[in-house]
Amino acid sequence: MTSVVGRPTARVGAVEIVTGRAQYTGDLTFPGMLWGALLYPVHSPARILRIDAAKARRISGVMAVLTHADVPGLNRFAYSYVEDQPVLVSEFVRYQGDALAAVAAVDEATAAAALATIEVDLELIEGVFDPVEAMQPGARRVWPDRNNVHEHLVIERGDIEAGFARAEVVVEGEYTTQLIEQAFLEPEGAVATLEADGTIVVYASCQSPHRDRRQIAVALGLAENQVRVMTPYVGGAFGGKDEVHVQIHAALLARATGRPVRLIRSREESIRTHVKRHPIRIRHKLGATRDGRITALQVEAIGDTGPYVNAGAEVMSVLAATASGPYRVPAARIDAFTVLTNNPICGAMRGFGIPQGTFAGERQMDKLSRELGIDPLEIRFRNGLETGTVLPTGAVVREGRPMKACLEKAAERSGWREREEIEREPAPHQRRGWGLAANIFTVGFGRSVPDSGGVNLEMTPDGAAILRTGAADMGQGAHTVLAQIAAEELGIGVEAVRVVKPDTDRTPDAGPASASRTTFVSGNATRRAAAAIRASLLEAASLSIGRPADELHLEGGYVHAAGEQVTTVAEAARVAKEANLPLHADGFYAMEYPEQLLDDAYPHAHQVFTFGTQVARVLVDTQTGRVTVEELTLVQDAGRVINPGGAIGQLEGGAAMGWGYALIEELKTTDGRTANNSLESYLIPTSVDLPPMNVGLVEIPEPLAPFGAKGIGEATLTPTAPAIANAVADAVGISLDDLPLTPERVLTALARSG
Amino acid sequence: MLASPTGYAAPTTLEDALDLLAADPDNTIIAGGTDLVPGVRAGRQTPGLLVDLRRLPLDHITAERNDVRLGARVTFTDVLESSVLAAEYPALVTAAADIGGPPIRNRATLGGNLVNASPAADGAPPLLVYDASVVLAGLSGRREVPLLGFFERPGHTVLQPGEILIEIRVPRPAGSTVSSFVKLGPRNAMAIAIVNAAIRVDLDHAGGVRQCRIALGAVAPTPIRALEAETLVVSQGLTPETIARAAAEAARATSPIDDLRATADYRRRMVEVLVQRLLTGSAAELKPGNGHG
Amino acid sequence: MAELSLRVNGTTHQVKTDPCRMLLSVLREDLGLTGAKEGCGQGDCGSCVVILNGRAVNSCLVYAGQADGAEIVTIEGLAEGEVLHPLQQSFIDRWAFQCGFCTPGMLMTAYGFLLETPHPEADEVRKAISGNLCRCTNYANIVAAVVAAATGGPQP
């Protein structure tokens, strides 16, 4: 039994948020603060002939104008291994979001005037915009000295030739997914200050403060301990703030001027510059026996990652590693290509390759079901993975029960088995349909990728606690979950835990808040830190009441023995302090990979998975092509829910994003330049668009996880689009294999099918 | 943020407003600002002095014997809250509810919606089917212009430099009449129309169609009326066959373009669908015994 | 330059500034009221909503001069000292936000709506907040929070 974990708890920081006192990066002010701004190219791609900032520098109130020559350290940064993205471009503009110059001025208008005065001569060069063409021999290159195919990854297991030979039915399809914008409500920003000792302090709306610190230090030519990154409240990120955005530029400007500099992107700049969700073309071939058992799978995925690799190879790797879905697939070959183009950069976005792969895979399962006349639910039950199933990566599934539990629960909650009792043509030109999609999701970065995190926990002698975490809370609820875990272990109320936000000078490195890993990694680290302090408290209580420590336990602010409150935690803390027992501790956890990976496993194979199933009920207007989702049932395997309010919020919010992915969202480009650079033209769902959601949880605790809890925030959006597409196909009998399912696409497909 | 306006004034009389406006061709009227501010921000508009109408008494909704008069700075929220409009101009009220979201409707004005001359302006088709006219005031006097002749092309109207749209006049309906509006947008709120359409059908005493109005938005350089479709309905009545033919005729009246929201082809097809649905709905509503007239 | 008189959260401020700056900037930069946020700068997201003369408006679309003499309520004026407004408490209790960036604007839109419609149905609330984007939630908890605050409804 737990008294804090699993119980409703308000979000950490809730009062600050509802009163407007919560400070986000753009709310910070410092005396003498300057406005920073960046110059972006009006044409791309292009060769840079000249950047002349002389006039801009002469404008009164302009304190600095920096170009590539003013980057003292390495003028290239990277999300992971490939350092190829310039801080300020020097020779070539490779995409619309390359920064040409950075200015700092006394106010916003002067900074804008300075940008307008910088003279830039660009010579347009022919770009590479189609990733499939880019892969052809002799195609024009994005980089003269690099192949356009940055990486071709192959994951292979079993004999697919034999598998397809054994197949009695083969389903093939080609799927495309679109370029997607995270559209976090707070545009990226940073505020940088130069301290008296030369330290650069950067406050940033970010997901990875410790990685930002390294990147800033490298670009400025400083030691990492001369840079301090702090993360105030973050207004959403969804992967789009995993990579540095303007942190380095703000730091450069603060160093150049000696004054604080605030640099906030406008919405238009935000959409033009930061990394997006990859558009991916997927060819998918599935072989099965007549009774619906999969015999072989072949997938080819081509991801357009833009001119800089960023997280492109990692995204394609995760797609490849999960391309077999939550199924038993005896033979598989997956080819994933990370392709360079002059389109917007793609990288991390909630789901990280799995939404794209799941769209293709779950459409395929439905086509197989249709081909064989087996119910979509049944065909998933027949093929659903189990504990012990070996995935194409060579990972052995340690806990497979949640997969079918989610299928069953979703079927029950949605009325799947009774669906034929509901009118399929409720009105003229209205057709109803049902669609189901299941998924697998991964927790953590995968083996062979460093994946660790720490916290520092302190109990004050009055029995309250301070939790110092380097994990960013972008709204996903990480700090609340960690506070609950600390409170549970220390036997105090969650309100008695104060969370210190990421500050690289004070909080341990927790790694990025990404990959659905924070609850798992930082949660385990928090447990470990708390265990050390709990030992002190129990020892102190034992000293003061004269009973052995192992007969005591901490809960609700009290020390309990034999079912009775014998003293308070605060009193135990006071005694511990007097008795020279430690009341603060570091906790550290690194992702563990027990024996369940085969020797020849894919190096980045994962160890912990979550599963989910969603069911969409839709109405299709056959005259306008408009799809209305009447209800979305979402069931997610969570291992164990730590915070019910936060968990359900994440599930619903993720599905809302999935709804947008399915139906309305697309960042459109022409020759690499985005056309809908505002929230008026890049549309995300409003309150009157989204369907009612029927949420269910499956809780089978994961032994490696803190209290059994796995990350769920990303998993939840992956089945939504295929569930909706499958429902549309069910309603009108046509196959829609390109996202989003705009009314026009639906209508065109209807017309094609006659 | 590009060049901001050079100054701001909030005159208290129309004469002062007209003088300020006439002082420099860059001087610009502002009311709700919901179109102007994004335009300035994007550099599409570079106003000189902003001449704010907020102190002028132009927020009236007055029912006269023959028409209802709406001040130019009546907001869409005002439209939604007016009992006069709800009773007699349902297409306008429906359109108002489809514009932006509540904070936008609290600022955006009917006058602004018209003078900005967006082909997709949701306020225009309803006012066109109600045969509205607009009153334009200039230093040399006032003139009343039928809305049908008001729009010239995207962003342009017959408004002359120095003129201000001060009032919208909408004739009061008589007899048995129905009217309605529908908007097809890429999402359900805060969206620019892919197509919008309004219709009005008046019956004569014998139950025949006395008058029909069909107005369409986002399918031509300006909001338009589908005159031939209207004639067809008047001459042949609201039979399913006529409705289908009129809908097809309405689609032929359009000259849509491809843009981010939809292709021209889709728009044309949607005009046909929407007009058919609106006319079919009106036929059902006008059936004897439905309590109209 | 102009001298503007802004009555904000019950206090009158005389602000000397360019009347062609946006009200949002004046609130944030000159008055230090950073609760209202800029999410788009052009009325598409609702993060900057404040109450202007009794109605919820996007303060990024209002020139400062237009607010001269106006009565303004911002998120900072919603609580009575340390006592939260029922809407604020209800938002906390029902997890009506995740990142919180849209929350000040969302709360002010809801507040303005309840001034006109004190006893709304869920569907009316859904429409009332349709001009305020939230990217974290599916709005369901926000709608529930507004309804509950209006009815003084039971705790979750």
Side-chain angles (χ1 to χ4, degrees):
Chain A
M1 272 303 284
T2 52
S3 59
V4 182
V5 160
R7 304 295 170 96
T9 303
R11 184 203 195 281
V12 164
V15 172
E16 287 73 14
I17 287 172
V18 300
T19 52
R21 295 200 296 259
Q23 287 203 309
Y24 296 77
T25 299
D27 300 334
L28 302 172
T29 328
F30 294 90
M33 189 172 75
L34 303 172
W35 288 83
L38 298 176
L39 183 68
Y40 296 102
V42 292
H43 302 293
S44 57
R47 181 190 305 278
I48 301 167
L49 302 177
R50 187 175 73 104
I51 304 177
D52 186 345
K55 277 188 203 157
R57 291 196 176 96
R58 285 198 297 271
I59 295 175
S60 164
V62 172
M63 310 309 286
V65 183
L66 308 180
T67 63
H68 61 90
D70 304 304
V71 179
L74 183 67
N75 186 11
R76 292 193 309 274
F77 63 95
Y79 174 87
S80 59
Y81 304 107
V82 188
E83 286 171 328
D84 62 0
Q85 186 167 357
V87 176
L88 291 166
V89 286
S90 54
E91 287 177 81
F92 290 99
V93 165
R94 293 188 181 84
Y95 90 117
Q96 63 173 7
D98 278 328
L100 291 155
V103 306
V106 291
D107 56 35
E108 194 176 11
T110 309
L115 290 185
T117 319
I118 298 172
E119 293 171 16
V120 179
D121 291 341
L122 298 177
E123 177 187 65
L124 279 172
I125 53 181
E126 203 183 316
V128 177
F129 306 113
D130 181 328
V132 178
E133 281 173 23
M135 291 170 67
Q136 305 311 311
R140 192 184 166 77
R141 287 184 172 202
V142 176
W143 296 76
D145 53 347
R146 290 166 67 182
N147 196 315
N148 288 340
V149 177
H150 169 74
E151 186 169 302
H152 174 196
L153 167 67
V154 181
I155 292 178
E156 197 166 12
R157 187 161 299 274
D159 183 343
I160 64 161
E161 277 182 35
F164 281 116
R166 198 154 62 82
E168 292 165 306
V169 54
V170 173
V171 175
E172 289 187 77
E174 183 168 331
Y175 303 86
T176 62
T177 67
Q178 75 278 39
L179 185 67
I180 287 280
E181 158 67 31
Q182 288 86 350
F184 34 72
L185 264 284
E186 178 207 23
E188 312 91 295
V191 177
T193 66
L194 177 64
E195 301 302 300
D197 66 353
T199 305
I200 293 278
V201 180
V202 180
Y203 302 82
S205 178
C206 73
Q207 289 176 251
S208 310
H210 283 80
R211 187 172 59 213
D212 289 1
R213 176 177 71 179
R214 173 171 58 78
Q215 292 177 301
I216 295 164
V218 167
L220 268 66
L222 298 172
E224 272 193 66
N225 71 357
Q226 291 174 285
V227 177
R228 176 181 182 187
V229 176
M230 286 189 259
T231 307
Y233 280 84
V234 178
F238 313 111
K241 296 173 184 171
D242 198 4
E243 177 60 293
V244 282
H245 35 79
V246 297
Q247 291 92 324
I248 298 173
H249 305 101
L252 285 169
L253 289 166
R255 211 188 68 130
T257 60
R259 288 170 64 171
V261 176
R262 176 198 283 174
L263 181 41
I264 309 286
R265 277 183 181 151
S266 70
R267 177 58 61 182
E268 180 177 352
E269 289 170 344
S270 171
I271 295 179
R272 282 186 188 281
T273 53
H274 68 244
V275 302
K276 315 292 176 207
R277 187 188 300 292
H278 286 77
I280 301 183
R281 198 199 68 173
I282 299 175
R283 283 195 175 135
H284 198 295
K285 185 175 166 190
L286 198 55
T289 57
R290 199 153 299 286
D291 64 352
R293 293 181 200 278
I294 297 169
T295 59
L297 163 94
Q298 188 167 11
V299 173
E300 178 200 83
I302 297 170
D304 176 353
T305 209
Y308 308 114
V309 175
N310 196 269
E314 284 87 349
V315 167
M316 296 308 292
S317 161
V318 170
L319 182 153
T322 56
S324 58
Y327 304 112
R328 282 176 283 117
V329 176
R333 179 180 165 114
I334 299 137
D335 289 73
F337 298 88
T338 307
V339 182
L340 298 165
T341 66
N342 295 107
N343 290 323
I345 315 177
C346 291
M349 182 175 174
R350 194 180 197 175
F352 212 82
I354 301 183
Q356 296 95 322
T358 306
F359 176 67
E362 290 299 290
R363 285 292 299 127
Q364 285 284 97
M365 288 302 284
D366 254 39
K367 288 181 189 174
L368 186 62
S369 134
R370 186 177 294 257
E371 183 82 23
L372 294 170
I374 299 173
D375 186 89
L377 177 67
E378 175 56 26
I379 202 153
R380 287 171 172 85
F381 267 119
R382 271 184 214 178
N383 290 289
L385 60 68
E386 287 154 357
T387 302
T389 297
V390 179
L391 299 180
T393 56
V396 183
V397 175
R398 301 175 51 252
E399 175 57 271
R401 288 176 295 165
M403 192 271 157
K404 287 179 186 170
C406 287
L407 275 180
E408 181 55 38
K409 196 162 193 170
E412 284 167 17
R413 291 190 79 98
S414 64
W416 177 266
R417 294 188 181 91
E418 298 79 41
R419 68 192 189 282
E420 293 310 330
E421 293 164 21
I422 294 177
E423 184 66 64
R424 289 189 71 95
E425 291 192 47
H429 318 297
Q430 298 284 320
R431 301 256 189 86
R432 185 172 276 132
W434 300 70
L436 187 145
N439 79 319
I440 183 170
F441 207 87
T442 55
V443 174
F445 294 134
R447 195 178 62 164
S448 86
V449 183
D451 198 349
S452 65
V455 303
N456 174 272
L457 186 62
E458 175 181 350
M459 176 157 268
T460 51
D462 60 355
I466 300 170
L467 176 70
R468 300 182 181 90
T469 171
D473 192 328
M474 312 83 67
Q476 87 281 33
H479 291 176
T480 312
V481 161
L482 298 182
Q484 283 180 274
I485 290 174
E488 182 71 45
E489 296 286 13
L490 296 175
I492 57 178
V494 68
E495 68 288 341
V497 181
R498 185 163 72 81
V499 179
V500 176
K501 292 186 174 56
D503 171 350
T504 57
D505 269 13
R506 293 166 195 262
T507 61
D509 185 356
S514 67
S516 288
R517 63 184 285 282
T518 299
T519 294
F520 203 100
V521 173
S522 288
N524 272 326
T526 302
R527 284 197 88 170
R528 288 180 177 178
I533 297 172
R534 193 180 54 217
S536 292
L537 294 170
L538 292 174
E539 191 179 335
S542 170
L543 284 174
S544 53
I545 63 170
R547 296 178 73 149
D550 60 7
E551 289 179 10
L552 307 176
H553 88 274
L554 309 175
E555 189 183 329
Y558 290 91
V559 181
H560 296 253
E564 281 182 35
Q565 296 173 355
V566 290
T567 183
T568 62
V569 171
E571 175 60 14
R574 192 189 64 74
V575 173
K577 179 79 181 162
E578 306 254 311
N580 292 328
L581 295 168
L583 282 176
H584 54 84
D586 286 325
F588 179 81
Y589 177 81
M591 202 75 179
E592 289 166 10
Y593 289 85
E595 65 290 353
Q596 281 91 346
L597 286 176
L598 300 186
D599 291 343
D600 64 345
Y602 172 52
H604 298 335
H606 290 78
Q607 176 70 86
V608 177
F609 304 98
T610 61
F611 304 94
T613 299
Q614 295 187 12
V615 176
R617 190 176 88 218
V618 307
L619 271 183
V620 180
D621 183 323
T622 56
Q623 283 190 311
T624 63
R626 207 181 147 107
V627 176
T628 304
V629 181
E630 296 183 295
E631 186 183 64
L632 200 55
T633 300
L634 17 151
V635 173
Q636 175 67 40
D637 151 40
R640 167 94 186 267
V641 169
I642 297 213
N643 185 326
I648 289 169
Q650 282 277 294
L651 295 181
E652 292 177 337
M657 210 175 252
W659 181 96
Y661 190 41
L663 295 175
I664 64 171
E665 294 186 31
E666 178 168 19
L667 194 54
K668 298 190 177 179
T669 61
T670 307
D671 290 348
R673 299 188 70 85
T674 48
N676 38 345
N677 298 308
S678 72
L679 295 179
E680 180 195 29
S681 50
Y682 185 86
L683 301 181
I684 64 173
T686 73
S687 57
V688 288
D689 290 304
L690 293 168
M693 294 185 190
N694 174 353
V695 182
L697 287 156
V698 166
E699 296 188 76
I700 298 175
E702 157 60 46
L704 292 177
F707 297 97
K710 300 185 280 192
I712 57 170
E714 297 187 83
T716 169
L717 75 74
T718 61
T720 314
I724 292 172
N726 287 343
V728 172
D730 179 55
V732 293
I734 53 165
S735 186
L736 284 156
D737 299 336
D738 306 298
L739 289 178
L741 310 178
T742 60
E744 192 152 3
R745 276 207 175 122
V746 173
L747 208 58
T748 305
L750 276 168
R752 248 199 334 258
S753 74
Chain B
M1 203 64 162
L2 286 145
S4 81
T6 56
Y8 171 86
T12 51
T13 67
L14 181 60
E15 291 65 34
D16 286 352
L18 289 167
D19 282 338
L20 288 168
L21 189 61
D24 188 306
D26 284 342
N27 293 354
T28 302
I29 294 291
I30 182 167
T34 55
D35 280 326
L36 181 69
V37 173
V40 172
R41 195 182 162 92
R44 291 189 301 267
Q45 281 169 284
T46 49
L49 181 75
L50 295 173
V51 181
D52 195 345
L53 300 184
R54 75 185 169 98
R55 293 198 167 113
L56 303 187
L58 297 178
D59 58 351
H60 55 281
I61 300 179
T62 323
E64 303 284 338
R65 222 169 86 88
N66 295 318
D67 57 21
V68 169
R69 298 180 176 194
L70 302 126
R73 121 180 137 64
V74 163
T75 65
F76 286 102
T77 298
D78 297 336
V79 170
L80 287 173
E81 291 175 353
S82 159
S83 51
V84 176
L85 299 180
E88 299 184 2
Y89 307 99
L92 181 60
V93 176
T94 307
D98 278 345
I99 288 173
I104 294 289
R105 294 199 287 269
N106 283 340
R107 294 290 290 174
T109 65
L110 207 46
N113 196 240
L114 298 178
V115 298
N116 288 325
S118 160
D122 291 317
L127 290 170
L128 283 171
V129 302
Y130 294 128
D131 294 331
S133 60
V134 289
V135 179
L136 313 181
L139 282 173
S140 52
R142 298 181 179 198
R143 57 187 180 129
E144 186 171 337
V145 176
L147 190 60
L148 189 56
F150 180 67
F151 303 110
E152 289 188 323
R153 59 195 158 89
H156 290 268
T157 68
V158 302
L159 207 61
Q160 292 300 301
E163 275 188 315
I164 302 175
L165 187 157
I166 57 168
E167 192 173 74
I168 298 128
R169 294 180 178 175
V170 198
R172 302 194 73 163
S176 181
T177 180
V178 292
S179 54
S180 51
F181 170 87
V182 66
K183 171 175 177 173
L184 195 70
R187 68 180 173 190
N188 290 336
M190 302 293 286
I192 298 169
I194 291 170
V195 177
N196 53 24
I199 62 141
R200 185 182 115 221
V201 179
D202 298 349
L203 295 191
D204 59 26
H205 293 299
V209 176
R210 181 169 59 84
Q211 201 158 231
C212 174
R213 296 281 182 270
I214 300 171
L216 307 167
V219 288
T222 68
I224 58 167
R225 289 251 310 270
L227 299 171
E228 292 183 18
E230 294 174 359
T231 308
L232 202 61
V233 174
V234 172
S235 62
Q236 318 232 346
L238 283 171
T239 65
E241 301 71 38
T242 312
I243 287 173
R245 283 176 53 210
E249 200 58 61
R252 270 193 288 279
T254 65
S255 48
I257 56 165
D258 294 340
D259 67 13
L260 276 175
R261 287 175 287 280
T263 63
D265 180 55
Y266 182 75
R267 288 193 155 95
R268 209 175 280 116
R269 290 159 69 186
M270 288 310 102
V271 166
E272 189 168 346
V273 171
L274 298 186
V275 169
Q276 181 158 19
R277 288 183 179 183
L278 288 173
L279 288 173
T280 305
S282 72
E285 223 180 308
L286 283 166
K287 264 198 196 125
N290 271 4
H292 270 269
Chain C
M1 280 304 221
E3 172 129 355
L4 307 177
S5 173
L6 305 178
R7 192 163 170 79
V8 185
N9 302 330
T11 306
T12 303
H13 300 264
Q14 303 296 327
V15 183
K16 237 189 161 114
T17 188
D18 173 1
C20 296
R21 288 173 65 211
M22 304 323 296
L23 174 61
L24 175 62
S25 299
V26 173
L27 291 172
R28 289 176 55 83
E29 309 293 332
D30 300 27
L31 303 184
L33 299 170
T34 56
K37 307 294 184 216
E38 180 170 313
C40 70
Q42 53 174 29
D44 299 327
C45 76
S47 303
C48 65
V49 167
V50 301
I51 305 295
L52 181 78
N53 293 331
R55 291 203 191 267
V57 305
N58 296 296
S59 61
C60 75
L61 291 180
V62 178
Y63 286 107
Q66 296 186 283
D68 186 20
E71 177 89 35
I72 295 162
V73 186
T74 70
I75 187 68
E76 289 88 350
L78 206 52
E80 299 268 356
E82 289 304 302
V83 180
L84 296 181
H85 186 277
L87 270 172
Q88 292 172 310
Q89 190 61 50
S90 191
F91 267 53
I92 294 175
D93 295 342
R94 285 164 186 79
W95 272 82
F97 49 87
Q98 290 173 30
C99 84
F101 195 79
C102 75
T103 308
M106 195 70 82
L107 276 166
M108 295 319 289
T109 296
Y111 174 77
F113 167 68
L114 293 184
L115 293 177
E116 308 277 326
T117 315
H119 304 293
E121 300 289 329
D123 205 45
E124 293 175 281
V125 176
R126 208 167 285 120
K127 287 177 183 161
I129 60 164
S130 64
N132 291 72
L133 297 177
C134 169
R135 186 58 154 170
C136 294
T137 76
N138 69 339
Y139 305 95
N141 290 357
I142 300 171
V143 172
V146 176
V147 170
T151 57
Q155 294 303 298

